[in-house]
Amino acid sequence: MNNIVFGIGITALIGALAAVAGAAEDTESNIGSQGDPNSQVQLAPQMGYIHRIFNKAIAGEPPAYGLWIVLGAGLAWSFMAMQLNAVLAIVLGSVLAVFVQGVYATTAYVGRTASLKKFGQPIYVDILKSMTTVTMAHAFIAIFCTVTLCYLMNAALGHPFPLPLLGFVWGIALGAAGSATGNPYYGKERQYQNQKFGAGVPIAQSGNIVRYAEAGERNSLDNGFFTAKLGGPASGVCFGLIVFLELWRTILFENISAGWGAIIIGVLMILVFTIIDRYIEVWGRKTYGPYAKPEEAKS
Amino acid sequence: MTVKVEVVEGGVPHTKIMVAGIVASLVCLYLSYLNVLTNTEMFSFFGGLAVVSALIWGSHTIKVLCSYGIGTGVPSAGMISFGSGVIAMLLATKFGIVAPIAALIIGVVVGVILGYLSNEVLNMKIPAMIQSLTELAVVGAFTLMGFAVLMTGGFTFTSLTTGSITILGVALPSFQVTFIGGSLIATAFLLGALAVQHPFNACLGPGWTQDRMLMCAAECGFLSMFVAAIMSFALVPAGSAIISTIIGLIGWAYTYCKYMGLSKRDAASWLDAKPIPEVEGH
């Protein structure tokens, strides 16, 4: 019983860390226009819409975050193998991983922008300096929280995987959660605030992203502010729930019929979530969207 | 999907880069065998140099493959490179001294099978597919082997799976503190997979230039070498790890400055805190 109470306590702590990590991850990736919104930011200058938005495309979010987290975890693992204190090891590992992230961000921005020479898109050095540092700060929070939760799984809950492998798994999960949950706010709506809500992007409007802010020209910090309000917390809740429920079902039910209990509960949870998701989707379409039934093709 | 969007115009031809990549990686991997001959681990940094040369070749292969209109497939090309490369590399480490050559041969076999499957079974019909996937599998195998040498000092299966842990001053053999047992191979996998796809992913567009992309590849390679060298402190003596770290850092700083210079050369303009320039018609 004591074990279960201890396990649930650690699970709650890990869930909280995951929520913070998810929120920071989405804010970071949206400031960098990574993932979903990226294609339009990349396309805009080609359609004549020169902009001041940061564009750091480093693969999709899942592989990118896979790397940052597995790197933080690998470095932390090495520092711990050198008999360094775990807290110090995780902090140092995260710092070095963030350094790599920052370097990748700058090379991605200048590279992509230099290739748009034909369309007159300039490289803005001030964007490079101010956005990269802000994404690095957010990435540090995301990496530190995720590596810490991997360490807790390994050290406190006795997960058999070594730290880097846990970092690999949860890093990709973190990127996927942020990419699937947080990005659509930015990529589908915020870039197209000048279009009818929920209308999608007509081809004629491709690349016509919102480039001007309440005052002056919009840059990615405005997107960070916006994401911190809605998309970030949503991603945090998503990743937090994934991690928490995953561990919760394992800790409580793994003793039932040699582990099958946890698997059955997992399947049940997927079913429950599928029903909830479908209900919300249908409700959302009916309430907000101009989603008319497709008309039969007229002959 | 078979419409070729852009071709490699001018610059160094792909075959030349490929041959140079194979030769340089193999030579560097074999130079690390000096570790065994001199009974030290001072030459582990050659693994890092093998990583850099394999990545430069791999990034250009991705450019060739992705010229066939598979723009969003750039990161996945990096993933399949290392997914197939890890099979070749792990199997090759069982062959002792001929491991690098075994990695090349097994990589070719795995790559040809994957290329055949994607072109003929999945019906992608991309002309460069089979050759590119074959090259990428070898790139993945060489890069992972390079990281293994960098972090452990050897490329044989034994050196990747046996380590030692010091408890109360007594050194005990341990599987946990090794390249494979500690899953550092997972870190090497993603370090390489992102580094091989990043150069083309970062430089694609109408203004793509070969020297800028290859410089970016070298930069990614040295950056990965630098962090991998820091991880190697856990597995090789501090002296060898320091050599690798310094070489990685110097190489990275040099290539990074060069890359920034090339980007400045290629960019439309390089502005600091200026508004959006006026463009005709908008």
Side-chain angles (χ1 to χ4, degrees):
Chain A
M1 191 63 200
N2 264 349
N3 265 347
I4 290 182
V5 173
F6 175 75
I8 289 294
I10 295 288
T11 302
L13 180 59
I14 289 177
L17 281 170
V20 176
E25 191 274 351
D26 191 46
T27 313
E28 189 270 342
S29 72
N30 277 5
I31 292 174
S33 307
Q34 213 176 340
D36 191 335
N38 182 262
S39 56
Q40 295 295 323
V41 175
Q42 172 78 9
L43 181 66
Q46 309 193 20
M47 310 304 285
Y49 304 102
I50 307 291
H51 58 73
R52 274 173 54 85
I53 289 172
F54 194 37
N55 174 16
K56 62 160 189 80
I58 313 162
E61 281 172 63
Y65 264 85
L67 174 60
W68 315 147
I69 308 294
V70 79
L71 192 53
L75 287 161
W77 179 92
S78 311
F79 288 131
M80 279 185 249
M82 290 179 236
Q83 315 292 331
L84 219 63
N85 176 297
V87 177
L88 195 58
I90 294 173
V91 171
L92 281 178
S94 308
V95 166
L96 282 165
V98 161
F99 168 72
V100 174
Q101 183 266 353
V103 172
Y104 267 85
T106 55
T107 52
Y109 175 69
V110 297
R112 280 263 170 125
T113 315
S115 289
L116 290 171
K117 181 182 186 178
K118 213 180 191 174
F119 309 102
Q121 171 72 37
I123 292 177
Y124 290 105
V125 187
D126 59 315
I127 293 281
L128 194 61
K129 287 179 194 160
S130 51
M131 311 292 141
T132 309
T133 40
V134 175
T135 60
M136 284 169 77
H138 283 88
F140 177 79
I141 298 172
I143 296 170
F144 176 76
C145 290
T146 316
V147 176
T148 309
L149 76 86
C150 294
Y151 175 72
L152 282 176
M153 276 184 204
N154 182 290
L157 299 180
H159 200 291
F161 284 5
L163 189 57
L165 195 55
L166 278 174
F168 188 94
V169 173
W170 287 112
I172 291 176
L174 169 64
S179 184
T181 315
N183 282 359
Y185 285 106
Y186 171 30
K188 304 273 187 315
E189 299 300 341
R190 180 157 171 88
Q191 282 183 330
Y192 289 97
Q193 283 173 321
N194 49 4
Q195 310 288 319
K196 194 177 175 188
F197 179 77
V201 185
I203 292 174
Q205 295 299 335
S206 265
N208 184 10
I209 55 175
V210 176
R211 300 174 295 149
Y212 296 94
E214 291 79 356
E217 287 157 2
R218 182 181 282 182
N219 65 34
S220 287
L221 290 186
D222 299 317
N223 293 334
F225 162 72
F226 170 83
T227 311
K229 209 168 156 188
L230 288 171
S235 308
V237 170
C238 172
F239 188 56
L241 273 180
I242 292 173
V243 176
F244 177 79
L245 290 176
E246 155 66 20
L247 292 177
W248 174 82
R249 73 180 172 102
T250 314
I251 299 230
L252 280 192
F253 302 103
E254 76 174 338
N255 290 331
I256 298 171
S257 47
W260 283 100
I263 293 172
I264 293 164
I265 295 292
V267 172
L268 280 179
M269 280 191 326
I270 291 171
L271 287 177
V272 169
F273 274 106
T274 310
I275 293 164
I276 295 175
D277 289 350
R278 179 70 192 155
Y279 176 79
I280 292 178
E281 190 194 341
V282 171
W283 175 82
R285 277 169 186 262
K286 274 186 190 156
T287 317
Y288 296 110
Y291 301 100
K293 273 196 174 171
E295 286 176 30
E296 294 290 317
K298 285 165 191 157
S299 53
Chain B
M1 291 297 277
T2 52
V3 183
K4 193 164 189 182
V5 177
E6 39 191 297
V7 289
V8 183
E9 281 167 0
V12 187
H14 179 66
T15 330
K16 209 169 174 180
I17 294 179
M18 178 178 76
V19 173
I22 295 177
V23 172
S25 310
L26 275 179
V27 167
C28 286
L29 284 174
Y30 270 113
L31 278 177
S32 74
Y33 202 71
L34 286 171
N35 276 344
V36 181
L37 298 181
T38 56
N39 203 18
T40 57
E41 281 172 342
M42 302 297 263
F43 299 97
S44 308
F45 68 89
F46 278 116
L49 299 182
V51 167
V52 176
S53 34
L55 286 177
I56 292 177
W57 163 31
S59 70
H60 203 263
T61 308
I62 290 189
K63 155 70 187 161
V64 171
L65 174 64
C66 294
S67 298
Y68 290 87
I70 40 175
T72 51
V74 180
S76 30
M79 293 298 146
I80 195 155
S81 164
F82 279 71
S84 44
V86 74
I87 304 171
M89 175 266 185
L90 274 181
L91 197 54
T93 52
K94 291 299 265 182
F95 288 84
I97 174 120
V98 290
I101 293 169
L104 174 69
I105 296 166
I106 302 169
V108 166
V109 173
V110 175
V112 166
I113 295 172
L114 287 175
Y116 175 80
L117 285 177
S118 35
N119 245 10
E120 305 300 328
V121 180
L122 297 177
N123 242 349
M124 289 190 188
K125 303 281 185 215
I126 296 168
M129 190 64 133
I130 295 181
Q131 192 197 337
S132 299
L133 283 190
T134 310
E135 286 179 37
L136 284 175
V138 179
V139 166
F142 278 173
T143 310
L144 281 169
M145 195 167 270
F147 277 126
V149 169
L150 181 64
M151 290 191 212
T152 66
F155 48 64
T156 54
F157 193 69
T158 331
S159 65
L160 302 188
T161 49
T162 43
S164 67
I165 185 166
T166 314
I167 297 169
L168 301 172
V170 183
L172 299 170
S174 160
F175 172 65
Q176 301 299 325
V177 188
T178 59
F179 185 68
I180 290 176
S183 273
L184 283 182
I185 193 169
T187 312
F189 182 99
L190 272 180
L191 263 180
L194 257 80
V196 78
Q197 61 82 28
H198 182 69
F200 181 59
N201 198 39
C203 297
L204 57 81
W208 175 86
T209 45
Q210 191 189 45
D211 53 351
R212 181 158 56 93
M213 185 192 77
L214 295 182
M215 192 55 79
C216 186
E219 186 267 333
C220 289
F222 278 115
L223 181 64
S224 310
M225 179 183 173
F226 166 61
V227 281
I230 290 177
M231 277 182 259
S232 76
F233 273 97
L235 301 175
V236 296
S240 347
I242 288 173
I243 296 177
S244 315
T245 313
I246 291 174
I247 292 177
L249 202 56
I250 292 174
W252 170 75
Y254 175 77
T255 47
Y256 188 76
C257 292
K258 277 283 194 193
Y259 173 73
M260 281 295 167
L262 290 174
S263 300
K264 204 168 179 173
R265 177 200 72 188
D266 289 347
S269 45
W270 187 270
L271 304 177
D272 195 358
K274 293 283 189 301
I276 297 172
E278 291 294 322
V279 181
E280 242 175 275
H282 288 280

